[in-house]
Amino acid sequence: MTVYIKSCRIVRPYLRPLLLLWFLISGILSLANPPMFGAGEKYHVEFTPELQRAYFEIQKLRIQSARQIIDEVRPQHKENAFIAYLDNYADLHYLLISEDKKSYQLLLKKEDLRLDEINKLPDQSPYKRFFLGEIRLHWAFAKIKFGNEISGAWDIVKAYRLLAENQRKFPNFRPTLKTLGLLHILIGSAPDQYTWVTKILGLKGDIGMGVEEIRTVIRDEPFFRQEAQLIDLLIHAYTLKLSETQLNKVKQLPREQPDNLLLHFFATTILMKESKSEEAQWYLNHAPEGPNYISFPFLEYLKGEIMLQKGNYKEAADFYTLFLKKYKGFNYIKDTHLKLFMCYWLTGNDSAGLTYLNRVDKEGSSVLEADKFATQVAADYKAGKITPRQKILYKARYASDGGYLDEAWEMLSTVTESSFNTTYDKAEFNYRKGRILQKNNRTDAATISYQRTLLLATGSSAGFGASSALQLGYIFMEKKENTKAAGYFQKAISYKNHEHKNSIDNKARAALTELGR
């Protein structure tokens, strides 16, 4: 039991965002020449034109339309294993977006039924273990998302073993590599204190190998090329680092498929993560909508985020309120109440803001880092640890996160380090300056600010030290000063007990791997 619980902790902090986005983009591929395997067998895999259309409807988040197509085809294709896969694919898209707990309990009962259907495929079919592994991985994330973490972690182990076996049995079946490669990257990113668990469970992780496996699919397998490209983009956005070419690809895809809601969401979130919220807003505003698409209230949350970054607090509050009104899930509730508090507090209406701050402890879950951070900020505010002087730091942080660098710099220019009383605030002030300077390509000046942060970063401000060390590593990596870069990446990992440790450690380890260290 201890091993299972430890493996859940591996999954919980750092796999969730990757698995969510990976699952949602999983299967975006070219079906121009669909395969048919085992057509002479009683049970087989056949990508018929109708099922291809259903597949793309799911990927576009037109779930109800896809289900109608599948139900129309089902009577004539009872022995086609692709139908069971599509049934599962549609249900999981619905669950991950809606966070509908009642539907989760009902649909969970169908996992074994779908696996039984796939198991009817002949052993000589490379699709058998491939589909089994993918369904296991899909359900792993759903279970983790809905709090069934032990079962979800075990499904990841089963998925890995199925895919590894499929690779041994069918080494020339390239599709296996796209999912197995992803798992190799995710397992290779596991925090050092958990690597003994992966070894006990027989899970082998290697970031470099995983990237190469995915790129093998891109290079050699036209059928799955686009899906593998998206996985590659996702991994680089959330674990490694996006190149300019990759970022352009992120922006290109939804323009090529304007009716694809998922690709607009994908571009929006990646661009926001890259501090390009002005560009992200275009994709958000041009996302397709209407009764054919699944309800996606999280888009209102993203609109609120961009307005908060711009300093348009009234508009931000309106979007956050609309999100809460439409949303039936359990994540981002605490975070949204904190952001509503900020919309009022940052404009001087502290009493109105407290109404929302008081809801942080009472509503929503504390699974995501954003919700945990909201809980901590609410506690700090009530304990008197957050003062009016910090408003300028929050404003600058939000503006910088969105890429509104001139506005952020102007805000910070009104204060100096001596304007703040605590070491925590002084460290944050220097870190925010460093990020703005770095994003403006003023790396020498940014280096000075980051190094000052390192001197100040102790105790509760350790997160700013870890973040500064990570960015210094990137700066020296770009300068080809690899020894210095490696030293800073190792320093980033050395910081303990801060809220971003898992994500920073993952990125630092990935960079060290790239440096061959």
Side-chain angles (χ1 to χ4, degrees):
M1 181 61 73
T2 301
V3 171
Y4 295 161
I5 292 173
K6 287 286 187 182
S7 65
C8 288
R9 288 175 182 167
I10 294 172
V11 172
R12 182 171 182 169
Y14 76 97
L15 295 190
R16 181 175 286 104
L18 284 169
L19 284 173
L20 171 59
L21 282 174
W22 169 75
F23 173 75
L24 289 175
I25 58 96
S26 174
I28 305 172
L29 53 141
S30 170
L31 290 174
N33 297 296
M36 181 169 65
F37 192 92
E41 303 280 350
K42 185 175 182 182
Y43 218 76
H44 61 281
V45 175
E46 183 179 359
F47 291 85
T48 68
E50 296 85 357
L51 294 178
Q52 290 179 54
R53 188 156 59 91
Y55 188 87
F56 282 114
E57 288 293 285
I58 296 169
Q59 188 271 321
K60 292 175 181 178
L61 301 185
R62 297 201 289 229
I63 308 298
Q64 190 56 40
S65 170
R67 284 173 172 156
Q68 290 174 353
I69 295 170
I70 295 169
D71 287 341
E72 289 173 2
V73 171
R74 193 184 310 275
Q76 293 80 37
H77 291 269
K78 293 180 180 179
E79 296 169 347
N80 186 350
F82 191 45
I83 287 183
Y85 180 84
L86 287 178
D87 284 336
N88 200 74
Y89 196 60
D91 290 347
L92 267 293
H93 272 77
Y94 172 76
L95 289 177
L96 293 175
I97 292 172
S98 70
E99 296 188 358
D100 184 335
K101 290 184 177 181
K102 290 183 179 179
S103 292
Y104 168 73
Q105 294 298 331
L106 292 172
L107 295 174
L108 181 60
K109 299 173 183 178
K110 297 186 178 183
E111 178 187 11
D112 288 339
L113 296 175
R114 271 76 183 264
L115 292 171
D116 288 345
E117 287 293 297
I118 302 300
N119 262 317
K120 294 177 183 178
L121 285 169
D123 282 341
Q124 64 267 31
S125 169
Y127 281 100
K128 181 174 183 175
R129 291 169 186 82
F130 176 62
F131 278 171
L132 289 173
E134 294 236 316
I135 288 175
R136 287 284 187 192
L137 198 55
H138 294 169
W139 275 105
F141 182 72
K143 290 174 182 179
I144 292 166
K145 189 179 185 73
F146 284 88
N148 193 355
E149 295 185 337
I150 293 176
S151 180
W154 191 238
D155 267 337
I156 289 178
V157 175
K158 291 178 179 178
Y160 177 90
R161 291 174 177 172
L162 283 162
L163 293 164
E165 183 182 2
N166 208 47
Q167 179 62 14
R168 289 193 297 270
K169 287 180 173 291
F170 307 100
N172 296 320
F173 185 69
R174 298 301 192 196
T176 304
L177 294 179
K178 73 173 179 65
T179 312
L180 189 59
L182 173 68
L183 286 171
H184 282 150
I185 294 169
L186 297 179
I187 295 164
S189 300
D192 290 340
Q193 64 266 37
Y194 297 136
T195 54
W196 68 272
V197 180
T198 62
K199 289 178 182 178
I200 288 175
L201 296 174
L203 309 178
K204 296 180 181 179
D206 187 315
I207 294 173
M209 179 174 70
V211 169
E212 180 54 35
E213 286 171 332
I214 291 169
R215 289 182 174 173
T216 297
V217 178
I218 295 172
R219 184 177 61 247
D220 298 341
E221 182 58 50
F223 182 72
F224 286 98
R225 179 169 293 149
Q226 186 167 300
E227 179 183 357
Q229 286 175 335
L230 286 169
I231 293 174
D232 188 50
L233 292 173
L234 178 62
I235 288 295
H236 280 81
Y238 283 87
T239 300
L240 306 175
K241 213 177 176 192
L242 276 176
S243 67
E244 194 64 31
T245 299
Q246 289 173 318
L247 192 58
N248 288 334
K249 187 66 176 178
V250 168
K251 294 186 280 190
Q252 175 188 348
L253 288 170
R255 292 179 183 271
E256 292 174 345
Q257 300 181 46
D259 64 340
N260 192 315
L261 176 56
L262 185 57
L263 286 181
H264 283 77
F265 169 67
F266 182 82
T268 298
T269 54
I270 295 298
L271 286 167
M272 290 180 70
K273 186 181 181 301
E274 295 293 310
S275 298
K276 296 181 181 295
S277 289
E278 199 65 22
E279 290 184 76
Q281 190 172 22
W282 187 92
Y283 293 94
L284 199 52
N285 291 340
H286 287 79
E289 57 184 353
N292 292 330
Y293 293 90
I294 189 173
S295 176
F296 206 164
F298 192 68
L299 301 181
E300 307 298 341
Y301 170 89
L302 294 176
K303 292 175 184 177
E305 291 285 274
I306 295 174
M307 290 298 105
L308 180 64
Q309 293 167 352
K310 285 186 172 186
N312 297 340
Y313 301 117
K314 172 63 169 63
E315 292 89 338
D318 289 342
F319 282 122
Y320 287 132
T321 301
L322 186 58
F323 166 67
L324 291 174
K325 182 179 179 180
K326 291 182 176 181
Y327 186 55
K328 306 302 180 186
F330 45 87
N331 288 317
Y332 290 100
I333 300 296
K334 294 181 183 296
D335 175 72
T336 301
H337 283 309
L338 175 66
K339 299 293 177 53
L340 281 164
F341 161 75
M342 289 292 177
C343 289
Y344 290 96
W345 183 65
L346 293 176
T347 55
N349 194 347
D350 296 17
S351 59
L354 282 173
T355 301
Y356 297 100
L357 195 72
N358 290 331
R359 294 176 183 170
V360 171
D361 291 331
K362 300 174 183 177
E363 301 179 25
S365 68
S366 296
V367 176
L368 299 183
E369 278 191 2
D371 290 318
K372 291 178 182 178
F373 179 73
T375 302
Q376 184 61 54
V377 172
D380 287 346
Y381 184 88
K382 292 174 182 178
K385 296 180 181 179
I386 296 178
T387 66
R389 173 58 69 182
Q390 289 176 296
K391 290 183 181 183
I392 197 71
L393 294 177
Y394 276 102
K395 288 180 178 181
R397 172 192 174 181
Y398 292 135
S400 176
D401 285 348
Y404 302 105
L405 304 181
D406 291 342
E407 294 83 351
W409 186 255
E410 184 177 345
M411 293 171 193
L412 288 186
S413 296
T414 64
V415 293
T416 65
E417 182 185 307
S418 61
S419 302
F420 303 96
N421 297 323
T422 68
T423 302
Y424 182 94
D425 290 347
K426 292 176 187 290
E428 180 173 3
F429 169 75
N430 283 283
Y431 174 72
R432 299 297 170 205
K433 278 184 61 179
R435 286 300 285 147
I436 296 168
L437 291 165
Q438 183 184 10
K439 290 175 182 178
N440 272 324
N441 297 315
R442 296 173 59 189
T443 55
D444 290 341
T447 298
I448 295 172
S449 290
Y450 286 142
Q451 288 173 337
R452 176 60 181 164
T453 307
L454 293 181
L455 291 174
L456 294 165
T458 58
S460 63
S461 58
F464 295 121
S467 297
S468 294
L470 179 70
Q471 297 306 325
L472 284 167
Y474 287 140
I475 288 172
F476 286 106
M477 193 174 179
E478 289 177 2
K479 291 181 177 182
K480 308 299 181 185
E481 297 183 36
N482 292 348
T483 300
K484 278 188 178 181
Y488 280 115
F489 289 132
Q490 288 161 354
K491 187 172 183 62
I493 294 171
S494 72
Y495 283 90
K496 309 296 182 186
N497 302 322
H498 59 88
E499 66 269 25
H500 302 300
K501 181 163 181 60
N502 288 308
S503 60
I504 288 174
D505 284 8
N506 292 341
K507 292 174 182 177
R509 261 192 300 273
L512 286 168
T513 299
E514 190 174 343
L515 291 172
R517 305 297 174 110

